[in-house]
């Protein structure tokens, strides 16, 4: 059945025509109805008919109705993060921890928004509000205010322990339940502002980023052997690293019911001085604490002749020190590089010394030069300052008692230093690991440093602009939750054989957009078509794919009004 326009007497008529087949097989047409003269038919006559036909077929209303297109919103990245957040149980964990009958807004949704913002487009809380206008996060309230975000951060800190404990329980299935190897390290995070408040975490201390004195706070992260962040700690910027260990270990032992904990730490946080105290903490909880500790290079001298007496099998040697197992790794290439670099710096100082001597000799011979008159005492001062700046005072020593400027090299000290070049000294009480396994475990600690780089680059944890100490802590917790999602993404991508980084994966998924069109009084939503590359990422992340356009249609292809996407 179709429409046909026929002419008669100079006028045009709109007719409804049906085709049929006669008994002889011939195809004929017959007029079902004449709808009227074409010049007298308008939208008010034909729209009800068209609308009725579309309604009978479940289609959209007629295109004659006004069509309004909304700005497209980014969907793919936040959809994937929402699916992972829900699958890991974080939504229920945060909702249960922040449950309150006095709060009129969904705090879990706002925590989720701030965590996703760190992963997708890190910005301030005001910037987060602008970002929410450009994305379509499932289950997000229609309106979010700055005050609600700040109140959510306050609620987050009021229940921070409960939130992190519940998150830890959700991570249990991803961890090795038989043996827990725990990595621990700290970094400094810059804070903007000079306010001084009670209980402030801003304190003058060494900024690891710049190497100078600043007023940061210290962030500690505990990570599993699988590379999964387990918990975090926030300390004042002037805290001694060794002072953070006890509280951290107690929290780990309380939250993770493992019989044995192997603590792997770098040269800074862990020392022999507090190992005994930590062991007592573990014994009080009926757990076993073991450690793999890097001995600081400045303390190599305490080893005496132990290193010299070691018999290296390849690049590894074992011994004992202070009643513990000593594992020493030797890298000949790095040793040669360190020795060559030291010798080159010493040669530069010798060349500088020769320049000073030539100037003094020329002056003694009566040859004048531009500038201030040289003196042996002045040469001592300039040379000593250069040696100190090069950090070579152990090897190059000026003779201050001599009347004329002179210096000498301590070849014995240089040879002693070269004995330790290229060596990594580890102290451990783990007896059931081979030396190679202990070395591998320690080298895995570098992964926590990569996590710090993710926090500072991709998630942009710093600088922090919050004034109140509790909101600074809440900001750290939000960034920690974002790091957990980032690492889970990395684990899944790596397990699938994908070489795509989480950051790149989110950028690719970000191209999937949600579109909305209003036709008359009805609104239709749909998702842009996904590419094979995007579908492969959903498979690698083991996440459900968003509904394709053939299922969730929009615009004139819609079969029914759709108010919300099914996710």
């Amino acid at each position: 059945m179709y429409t046909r326009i026929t002419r008669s007497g100079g006028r045009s008529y709109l007719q409804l025509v049906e085709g049929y087949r006669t008994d002889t097989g011939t195809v004929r047409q017959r007029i079902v109805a004449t709808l009227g003269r074409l010049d007298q038919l308008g939208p008010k006559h034909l729209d009800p008919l068209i609308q009725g036909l579309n309604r009978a077929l479940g289609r959209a209303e007629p295109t004659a109705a006004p069509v309004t297109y909304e700005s497209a919103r980014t969907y793919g990245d936040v959809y994937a993060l929402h699916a992972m957040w829900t699958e890991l149980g974080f939504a229920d964990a945060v909702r249960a921890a922040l449950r309150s009958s006095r709060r009129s807004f969904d705090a879990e949704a706002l925590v989720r928004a701030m965590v996703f913002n760190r992963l997708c487009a890190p910005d301030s809380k005001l910037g987060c509000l602008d970002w929410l206008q450009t994305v379509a996060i499932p289950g997000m309230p229609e309106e979010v205010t700055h005050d609600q975000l700040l109140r959510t951060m306050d609620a987050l800190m009021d229940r921070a322990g409960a939130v992190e404990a519940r998150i830890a329980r959700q991570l249990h299935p991803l961890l090795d339940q038989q043996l827990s190897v725990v990595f621990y390290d700290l970094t400094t995070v810059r804070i903007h502002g000079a306010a001084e408040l009670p209980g402030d975490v801003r304190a003058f201390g060494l900024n690891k980023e710049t190497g100078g004195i600043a007023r940061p706070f210290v962030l500690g992260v505990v990570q599993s052997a699988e590379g999964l962040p387990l918990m975090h700690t926030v300390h004042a910027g002037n805290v001694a690293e060794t002072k953070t260990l006890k509280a951290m270990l107690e929290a780990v032992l309380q939250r993770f019911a493992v019989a044995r904990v192997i603590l792997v730490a770098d040269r800074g946080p862990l020392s022999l001085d507090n190992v005994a105290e930590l062991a007592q903490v573990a014994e009080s909880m009926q757990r076993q604490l073991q450690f793999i500790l890097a001995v600081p290079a400045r303390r190599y001298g305490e080893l005496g002749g132990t290193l010299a007496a070691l018999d290296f099998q390849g690049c590894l040697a074992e011994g004992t020190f202070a009643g513990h197992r000593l594992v020493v790794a030797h890298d000949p290439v790095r040793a040669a590089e360190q020795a060559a670099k030291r010798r080159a710096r010493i040669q530069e100082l010798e060349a500088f010394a020769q320049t000073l001597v030539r100037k003094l000799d020329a002056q003694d011979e009566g040859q004048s030069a531009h500038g201030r008159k040289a003196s042996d005492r002045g040469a001592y001062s300039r040379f000593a300052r250069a040696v100190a700046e090069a950090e070579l005072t152990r090897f190059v020593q000026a003779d201050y008692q001599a009347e004329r400027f002179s210096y000498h090299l301590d070849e014995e000290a240089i040879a002693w230093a070269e004995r330790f070049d290229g060596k990594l000294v580890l102290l451990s009480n783990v007896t059931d690991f081979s030396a190679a396994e202990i070395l591998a475990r320690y080298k895995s600690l570098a992964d926590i440093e990569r996590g710090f780089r993710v926090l500072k680059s991709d998630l942009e944890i710093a600088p922090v602009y919050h004034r109140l100490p509790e909101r600074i802590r809440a900001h750290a917790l939000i960034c920690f939750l974002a790091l957990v999602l980032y690492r889970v993404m990395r684990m899944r991508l790596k397990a699938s054989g994908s070489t795509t980084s989480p950051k790149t994966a989110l950028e690719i998924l970000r191209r999937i957009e949600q579109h909305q069109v209003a036709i008359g009084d009805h609104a239709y939503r749909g998702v842009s078509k996904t590419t094979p590359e995007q579908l492969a990422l959903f498979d690698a992340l083991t996440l459900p794919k968003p509904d394709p356009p053939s299922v969730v249609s929009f615009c004139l292809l819609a079969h029914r009004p759709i108010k919300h996407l099914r996710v």
Side-chain angles (χ1 to χ4, degrees):
M1 190 176 295
Y2 58 93
T3 59
R4 182 176 67 184
I5 298 175
T6 61
R7 299 182 182 276
S8 177
R11 295 172 179 169
S12 299
Y13 296 87
L14 181 63
Q15 297 176 329
L16 193 61
V17 180
E18 178 187 38
Y20 68 96
R21 190 177 297 276
T22 65
D23 295 338
T24 61
T26 306
V27 177
R28 302 281 186 179
Q29 292 83 31
R30 58 186 171 211
I31 298 174
V32 176
T34 299
L35 302 180
R37 284 171 47 182
L38 195 59
D39 58 338
Q40 295 178 350
L41 295 175
K44 67 177 182 179
H45 301 99
L46 297 179
D47 277 349
L49 175 62
I50 297 173
Q51 186 173 352
L53 293 174
N54 278 325
R55 192 161 49 244
L57 295 175
R59 293 179 179 171
E61 59 184 69
T63 56
V67 180
T68 304
Y69 299 92
E70 299 290 339
S71 297
R73 292 195 172 201
T74 302
Y75 180 68
D77 52 351
V78 293
Y79 166 82
L81 291 172
H82 172 77
M84 183 174 294
W85 177 271
T86 305
E87 177 192 322
L88 292 173
F90 289 0
D92 293 336
V94 173
R95 188 176 296 111
L98 300 184
R99 182 179 291 112
S100 173
S101 60
R102 296 178 296 174
R103 199 179 299 120
S104 60
F105 57 88
D106 187 352
E108 182 276 330
L110 300 194
V111 170
R112 179 160 34 98
M114 289 186 282
V115 171
F116 292 1
N117 176 248
R118 305 316 302 180
L119 287 157
C120 299
D123 208 335
S124 65
K125 300 305 172 283
L126 285 173
C128 181
L129 290 177
D130 295 334
W131 173 75
L132 284 173
Q133 302 303 313
T134 66
V135 298
I137 302 179
M140 191 58 52
E142 291 294 329
E143 293 186 9
V144 178
T145 66
H146 185 238
D147 179 67
Q148 288 175 343
L149 292 180
L150 296 182
R151 287 177 60 193
T152 298
M153 295 182 72
D154 295 339
L156 197 58
M157 283 322 298
D158 289 341
R159 304 288 296 162
V163 169
E164 203 165 29
R166 288 179 180 273
I167 292 293
R169 284 200 290 271
Q170 300 305 126
L171 295 176
H172 276 193
L174 303 179
L175 302 176
D176 177 7
Q177 302 302 305
Q178 301 302 319
L179 175 66
S180 180
V181 179
V182 177
F183 299 93
Y184 178 62
D185 205 352
L186 301 105
T187 189
T188 54
V189 181
R190 291 180 292 123
I191 304 179
H192 181 80
E196 295 186 14
L197 301 171
D200 208 340
V201 295
R202 288 167 285 204
F204 286 101
L206 179 64
N207 188 334
K208 292 186 176 182
E209 296 179 57
T210 63
I213 299 300
R215 198 163 171 257
F217 73 87
V218 172
L219 176 71
V221 172
V222 179
Q223 181 174 295
S224 72
E226 297 84 6
L228 193 63
L230 302 178
M231 58 171 283
H232 81 293
T233 57
V234 174
H235 309 278
N238 60 353
V239 69
E241 293 180 332
T242 55
K243 301 298 183 183
T244 67
L245 276 169
K246 185 177 178 181
M248 178 279 300
L249 181 62
E250 289 175 344
V252 169
L253 293 176
Q254 288 172 358
R255 293 178 185 176
F256 300 94
V258 291
R260 178 168 81 156
V261 174
I262 301 179
L263 183 61
V264 183
D266 211 343
R267 295 171 171 86
L270 192 59
S271 68
L272 288 176
D273 301 331
N274 55 14
V275 164
E277 181 182 4
L278 298 178
Q280 291 177 357
V281 173
E283 289 175 7
S284 66
M285 296 184 178
Q286 298 181 342
R287 311 287 181 82
Q288 181 184 9
L289 173 67
Q290 295 180 308
F291 61 86
I292 298 174
L293 161 67
V295 179
R298 65 180 180 275
R299 301 186 65 174
Y300 282 2
E302 299 176 16
L303 299 175
T306 304
L307 295 185
L310 292 179
D311 181 20
F312 281 87
Q313 301 295 327
C315 295
L316 283 175
E318 287 194 64
T320 58
F321 180 73
H324 298 300
R325 188 177 177 188
L326 196 69
V327 175
V328 182
H330 178 67
D331 185 345
V333 175
R334 181 170 176 78
E337 291 175 350
Q338 289 178 330
K341 184 177 180 180
R342 184 186 301 108
R343 289 287 183 180
R345 288 159 61 198
I346 291 175
Q347 288 176 1
E348 291 176 2
L349 289 173
E350 290 187 291
F352 178 60
Q354 292 301 320
T355 301
L356 297 175
V357 169
R358 284 194 297 269
K359 186 174 182 179
L360 290 170
D361 290 343
Q363 186 172 273
D364 291 343
E365 293 173 1
Q367 300 176 11
S368 61
H370 295 291
R372 181 183 299 178
K373 184 178 180 180
S375 67
D376 289 279
R377 191 55 53 190
Y380 281 132
S381 299
R382 294 179 62 188
F383 185 69
R385 185 165 55 249
V387 172
E389 291 175 352
E391 299 179 348
L392 294 173
T393 53
R394 290 182 298 162
F395 314 116
V396 183
Q397 300 170 358
D399 188 354
Y400 294 101
Q401 303 301 322
E403 294 183 0
R404 295 172 63 85
F405 169 70
S406 62
Y407 71 94
H408 72 277
L409 301 182
D410 190 338
E411 294 292 348
E412 184 178 344
I414 295 174
W416 176 262
E418 289 180 348
R419 183 179 302 171
F420 298 103
D421 285 341
K423 290 184 174 61
L424 172 64
V425 182
L426 302 175
L427 206 62
S428 177
N429 62 351
V430 180
T431 58
D432 56 340
F433 280 11
S434 68
E437 287 175 320
I438 288 179
L439 177 62
R441 289 298 189 185
Y442 175 77
K443 287 186 175 181
S444 297
L445 184 64
D447 190 54
I448 207 168
E449 290 290 345
R450 286 190 283 272
F452 286 147
R453 286 195 291 272
V454 170
L455 278 171
K456 294 182 178 181
S457 57
D458 295 355
L459 306 184
E460 296 185 17
I461 189 175
V464 182
Y465 291 95
H466 292 287
R467 186 179 66 90
L468 300 179
E470 291 308 301
R471 288 185 182 159
I472 294 174
R473 294 176 183 274
H475 174 77
L477 177 53
I478 289 168
C479 291
F480 172 78
L481 293 175
L483 179 62
V484 173
L485 286 182
Y486 185 99
R487 284 304 181 92
V488 172
M489 289 184 65
R490 188 186 73 161
M491 291 170 61
R492 294 187 178 186
L493 289 168
K494 185 177 180 180
S496 69
S498 174
T499 58
T500 307
S501 69
K503 181 180 179 181
T504 302
L506 290 174
E507 290 174 352
I508 294 172
L509 296 178
R510 194 170 299 141
R511 301 167 195 163
I512 303 175
E513 296 179 332
Q514 184 188 88
H515 301 268
Q516 179 171 315
V517 59
I519 306 176
D521 296 331
H522 297 278
Y524 302 88
R525 286 182 183 173
V527 180
S528 59
K529 184 178 179 180
T530 50
T531 65
E533 182 183 28
Q534 292 164 342
L535 294 175
L537 283 175
F538 281 111
D539 288 335
L541 294 169
T542 64
L543 295 176
K545 302 176 180 63
D547 293 321
S550 60
V551 175
V552 180
S553 305
F554 61 95
C555 197
L556 299 181
L557 300 177
H559 292 282
R560 62 183 182 276
I562 300 170
K563 298 302 182 184
H564 299 284
L565 284 172
R566 174 166 52 84
V567 293

